[in-house]
């Protein structure tokens, strides 16, 4: 027969693996890139920077929040707009019937 259930539970290990994936241009990816750019900008000037940065975005708006301790003097708006432009979000028209609007624009987004 088999091993007792108690002994089997101690030796057998079962793992469940799960992951999430989003497409290019998804707001989660935009937010990750903005947060990474803020971190990189801080570290490029002050390698001892402490950055706990979160980013949120919706409807042509990007909000950066968190706690940043650094000697770097950053233009956060420039950093954010640079990321948005790099992803080629360059058109925003607030109307659902406009097919060419990408829903985001580096020049007009609120930061």
């Amino acid at each position: 027969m088999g091993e007792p259930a108690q002994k089997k539970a101690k030796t057998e290990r079962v793992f469940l693996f799960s992951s999430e994936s989003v497409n290019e241009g998804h707001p989660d990816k935009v937010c990750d890139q903005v947060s990474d750019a803020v971190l990189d900008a801080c570290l490029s000037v002050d390698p001892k920077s402490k950055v706990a940065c979160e980013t949120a975005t919706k409807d042509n708006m990007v909000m950066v929040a968190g706690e940043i301790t650094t000697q770097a003097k950053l233009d956060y708006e420039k950093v954010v707009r640079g990321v948005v432009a790099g992803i080629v979000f360059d058109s925003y028209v607030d109307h659902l019937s406009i097919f060419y609007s990408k829903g985001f624009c580096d020049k007009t987004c609120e930061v």
Side-chain angles (χ1 to χ4, degrees), residues 58-94:
K58 184 176 184 339
D59 295 338
N60 210 36
M61 181 273 303
V62 179
M63 178 177 61
V64 179
E67 185 176 340
I68 299 175
T69 305
T70 184
Q71 297 299 315
K73 303 293 182 212
L74 297 183
D75 182 349
Y76 293 97
E77 186 172 333
K78 183 177 178 182
V79 173
V80 170
R81 291 185 190 283
V83 170
V84 174
I87 302 172
V88 195
F89 278 122
D90 57 4
S91 64
Y92 175 74
V93 179
D94 191 12

Side-chain angles (χ1 to χ4, degrees), residues 26-63:
H26 188 278
D28 285 348
K29 289 203 183 265
V30 174
C31 291
D32 288 345
Q33 289 186 31
V34 169
S35 294
D36 289 348
V38 169
L39 172 63
D40 292 345
C42 288
L43 292 176
S44 69
V45 176
D46 179 8
K48 294 183 178 182
S49 295
K50 306 285 190 254
V51 179
C53 175
E54 290 293 332
T55 304
T57 184
K58 184 176 184 339
D59 295 338
N60 210 36
M61 181 273 303
V62 179
M63 178 177 61

